Amino acid sequence: MEFETKNNIEEEKLQFYYIELLKEQVNKFIDEHSKVPTAHIETFGCQMNARDSEKLLGIVKAAGFKEIDSENADLVIYNTCSVRDNANQKVYGRLGRLSTFKKKNPEMKIVLCGCMTQEESVIEHIKTSYRFVDIVLGTHNIYKVAQLLYISYIGKDNYSPMDEDEAGKYYWHKNMLISHWDMTEKIVENLPIERKYAYKSGVNIMFGCNNFCSYCIVPYVRGRERSRDPEEIIAEIKKLVADGCIEIMLLGQNVNSYGKNLKNPISFAELLRRIEKIEGLERIRFMTSHPKDLSDELIEVMKSSDKICKHLHLPLQSGSSRILKAMNRVYDKEQYLKLALRIREEIPDISITTDIIVGFPGETKEDVDETIDVIEKVQFDNAFTFIYSKRTGTPAASMEQVPEDIVKEQFDRVLDCVQKTAQNQIKKMQGLILPVLVEEVNKQDENLLTGRLSNNTVVHFKGDSSLIGTIVNVKCVDYKGFYYLGELV
């Protein structure tokens, strides 16, 4: 671990060196075109991707690019998702649009990165059908974006690797630069980050996943679990707080298994205890929690904390023990119910949200009945409900698929049940005065502000924009489906 840490520090220095080299290319662009080159980053998928995009943006802005909210830019980066097949198709469609911009601006650089580009089949498709893409890189080496951009600008005939090891980490396909790693142990810290919000931020505590659910591509594209050193996490959060951040979201594919692979292992609950002590930090969130690893220690820490938000995202996926076994979720219906109901008992004001997949191979109406039974007993505050999407390369892809018409019918049943339990839960807050973190001016009505309760419920209310980034008391007056209209107190 000590050797790996030293390597990570050297890699960090190397990437700052490449940021400076890329900056020289940006200055040449400015001299030739009498304008600053523009950059646009489009994020697809989860909050892990959103955090990665902040890092990508921080690096390219440090090199001198100017961010714009348009894909008609000099540099466009797509940070992709591959959880469902339609996510891939969406990216392919958007790439077609980028080709039009590139025809008008041949010097435009197009970068494709993220989970989708960890799939060899995707890379082959990009090489044959989207030859105008300049750079393809995966999830493990996003931090090298400045280096790869510099190499792309210089061109394959003008760049010589510093050593053979570096040369082995990328290759050219015609004019396309491809850097695809199957695995890495590196966690490179302290590179530039451009945060989207001043008052809140995501913080990666670990990367990868060891669970291999039979429907999921994540372990194959994000790699095995790698936990960050707790001192590095705490140092990052302290820096964020000093910069005005009052809420942090701890991010990992399975935060409950944090710390197991460290030289000096600690539990996720212990990490939370240490983070709680940071002065100036007012709210702590985290996601995602795998039910099989959620400990009694974590429940106790959440119960006793004034800073940890009263919201737990606890993916169910299915209420059928038979389907859960086929999914390789490593818990059954009774174990999930016991855990969820205990959390409800220990932390009565907690909001529990979940993920549910409908139409998993082999699922019957009776299996869906079991899922609905869990929804009604747990009374979920909300659920992200998905129709099963076959992912090539996962075990479930070769299982017998459920006909689409049956899936749609069962999906509607589940969605209707979730909406009813969500309504039951949100009604409980009517009339209460609760603290709200003010996040932004409402996008539909500029006379309203939008904020979030500790339990993650959204509240809209009248107020001055100077309140953004502060916590204020708001009376929950009128619930509207999944949000409240409130009054500032």
Side-chain angles (χ1 to χ4, degrees):
M1 194 64 168
E2 291 175 1
F3 172 76
E4 198 57 58
T5 300
K6 181 180 178 182
N7 279 351
N8 293 348
I9 293 170
E10 293 302 318
E11 186 67 64
E12 177 187 316
K13 292 178 180 177
L14 180 64
Q15 293 312 310
F16 273 109
Y17 169 71
Y18 276 109
I19 289 172
E20 292 303 312
L21 289 181
L22 181 58
K23 191 181 294 183
E24 292 177 7
Q25 297 301 309
V26 168
N27 289 335
K28 286 182 181 179
F29 183 99
I30 294 170
D31 291 341
E32 292 173 7
H33 300 276
S34 299
K35 70 161 192 167
V36 176
T38 56
H40 177 79
I41 298 177
E42 193 76 17
T43 306
F44 302 82
C46 68
Q47 295 197 11
M48 295 283 284
N49 271 18
R51 184 57 172 166
D52 284 344
S53 289
E54 290 184 337
K55 296 174 184 177
L56 289 165
L57 183 58
I59 290 169
V60 299
K61 288 189 74 171
F65 287 87
K66 179 178 72 174
E67 181 189 14
I68 62 170
D69 190 21
S70 169
E71 294 174 334
N72 190 9
D74 299 301
L75 167 64
V76 173
I77 302 176
Y78 279 177
N79 189 7
T80 65
C81 171
S82 64
V83 170
R84 282 170 291 280
D85 183 64
N86 58 6
N88 289 32
Q89 300 309 317
K90 184 177 182 180
V91 170
Y92 291 140
R94 297 283 287 275
L95 279 174
R97 182 184 178 196
L98 288 189
S99 67
T100 304
F101 293 136
K102 184 145 188 173
K103 286 175 183 176
K104 297 178 181 178
N105 179 14
E107 294 185 44
M108 177 186 187
K109 294 291 183 185
I110 299 174
V111 179
L112 200 63
C113 65
C115 292
M116 186 172 158
T117 52
Q118 283 296 126
E119 299 180 72
E120 290 285 359
S121 60
V122 168
I123 294 176
E124 291 305 312
H125 186 53
I126 296 296
K127 284 157 64 172
T128 57
S129 301
Y130 301 92
R131 289 174 288 181
F132 54 86
V133 171
D134 296 280
I135 300 172
V136 178
L137 69 155
T139 58
H140 301 308
N141 54 340
I142 276 178
Y143 65 87
K144 285 182 173 285
V145 67
Q147 179 179 353
L148 295 169
L149 276 169
Y150 171 71
I151 296 171
S152 182
Y153 274 111
I154 292 295
K156 59 183 175 181
D157 297 328
N158 299 313
Y159 181 78
S160 298
M162 293 182 181
D163 54 54
E164 291 185 7
D165 180 61
E166 180 188 343
K169 291 183 177 178
Y170 67 85
Y171 67 92
W172 291 92
H173 175 75
K174 299 181 180 179
N175 291 317
M176 186 185 298
L177 184 60
I178 299 171
S179 181
H180 172 265
W181 297 4
D182 290 331
M183 196 68 65
T184 184
E185 293 297 324
K186 289 191 175 187
I187 299 176
V188 180
E189 310 276 1
N190 302 318
L191 293 176
I193 295 178
E194 185 73 16
R195 284 165 40 218
K196 185 176 181 179
Y197 302 101
Y199 56 88
K200 67 176 183 177
S201 178
V203 175
N204 296 109
I205 65 170
M206 62 188 301
F207 303 90
C209 182
N210 290 352
N211 288 309
F212 290 93
C213 300
S214 64
Y215 54 82
C216 186
I217 199 76
V218 168
Y220 305 98
V221 297
R222 284 279 182 180
R224 302 297 79 75
E225 288 179 359
R226 308 179 311 283
S227 296
R228 291 179 64 196
D229 184 271
E231 296 307 318
E232 292 282 1
I233 295 168
I234 290 167
E236 180 180 347
I237 295 172
K238 285 182 176 178
K239 186 177 179 181
L240 288 167
V241 171
D243 196 34
C245 185
I246 62 173
E247 177 182 291
I248 56 102
M249 168 78 82
L250 304 177
L251 298 172
Q253 254 71 42
N254 178 17
V255 293
N256 299 132
S257 61
Y258 168 80
K260 292 180 179 179
N261 67 324
L262 291 172
K263 183 178 180 180
N264 298 306
I266 72 167
S267 67
F268 177 53
E270 176 57 29
L271 177 67
L272 286 171
R273 288 192 185 98
R274 297 186 190 184
I275 293 172
E276 269 193 304
K277 296 176 183 177
I278 298 174
E279 293 185 9
L281 180 64
E282 298 193 41
R283 284 186 172 185
I284 303 169
R285 297 186 185 276
F286 58 84
M287 71 183 320
T288 295
S289 291
H290 196 297
K292 74 179 179 65
D293 297 311
L294 199 147
S295 65
D296 293 343
E297 182 188 18
L298 177 57
I299 296 172
E300 187 57 39
V301 168
M302 292 186 70
K303 179 181 177 180
S304 60
S305 174
D306 293 325
K307 292 186 177 182
I308 299 173
C309 289
K310 296 299 187 280
H311 172 227
L312 180 65
H313 190 70
L314 192 66
L316 168 65
Q317 307 302 4
S318 173
S320 163
S321 294
R322 186 181 71 86
I323 294 297
L324 287 169
K325 185 175 181 180
M327 289 179 167
N328 194 35
R329 291 293 289 174
V330 202
Y331 57 83
D332 59 23
K333 174 185 177 180
E334 288 69 29
Q335 289 169 324
Y336 185 96
L337 270 174
K338 183 178 178 181
L339 174 63
L341 294 177
R342 181 173 172 227
I343 293 167
R344 286 277 192 219
E345 182 181 354
E346 294 288 335
I347 315 171
D349 56 344
I350 198 166
S351 165
I352 301 179
T353 57
T354 196
D355 296 334
I356 297 172
I357 296 171
V358 180
F360 184 83
E363 185 180 67
T364 65
K365 178 183 179 298
E366 288 71 29
D367 293 316
V368 176
D369 290 341
E370 295 292 318
T371 298
I372 288 174
D373 184 53
V374 175
I375 295 169
E376 290 175 340
K377 285 177 177 173
V378 176
Q379 290 287 298
F380 290 115
D381 294 73
N382 206 346
F384 297 98
T385 309
F386 307 101
I387 290 176
Y388 169 75
S389 175
K390 184 166 72 172
R391 297 302 292 117
T392 301
T394 62
S398 61
M399 299 177 185
E400 183 178 354
Q401 307 299 304
V402 181
E404 288 185 14
D405 58 335
I406 295 176
V407 174
K408 180 64 169 62
E409 179 183 346
Q410 300 309 315
F411 178 83
D412 290 343
R413 290 179 62 214
V414 171
L415 190 61
D416 181 63
C417 186
V418 166
Q419 289 172 344
K420 288 177 181 175
T421 65
Q423 286 290 302
N424 293 339
Q425 292 298 101
I426 199 168
K427 287 177 185 177
K428 295 177 181 179
M429 292 175 283
Q430 188 163 15
L432 298 180
I433 297 173
L434 298 168
V436 171
L437 173 57
V438 188
E439 297 189 336
E440 59 189 359
V441 174
N442 185 278
K443 290 181 173 63
Q444 281 73 44
D445 185 346
E446 293 183 355
N447 295 315
L448 297 176
L449 298 177
T450 294
R452 204 171 291 269
L453 299 175
S454 171
N455 71 3
N456 212 39
T457 299
V458 172
V459 182
H460 307 299
F461 60 96
K462 288 184 178 180
D464 190 87
S465 61
S466 62
L467 295 175
I468 293 173
T470 66
I471 294 177
V472 298
N473 287 326
V474 175
K475 183 177 181 179
C476 298
V477 177
D478 190 14
Y479 63 89
K480 300 286 185 180
F482 297 99
Y483 66 90
Y484 262 98
L485 291 178
E487 293 177 357
L488 186 64
V489 177

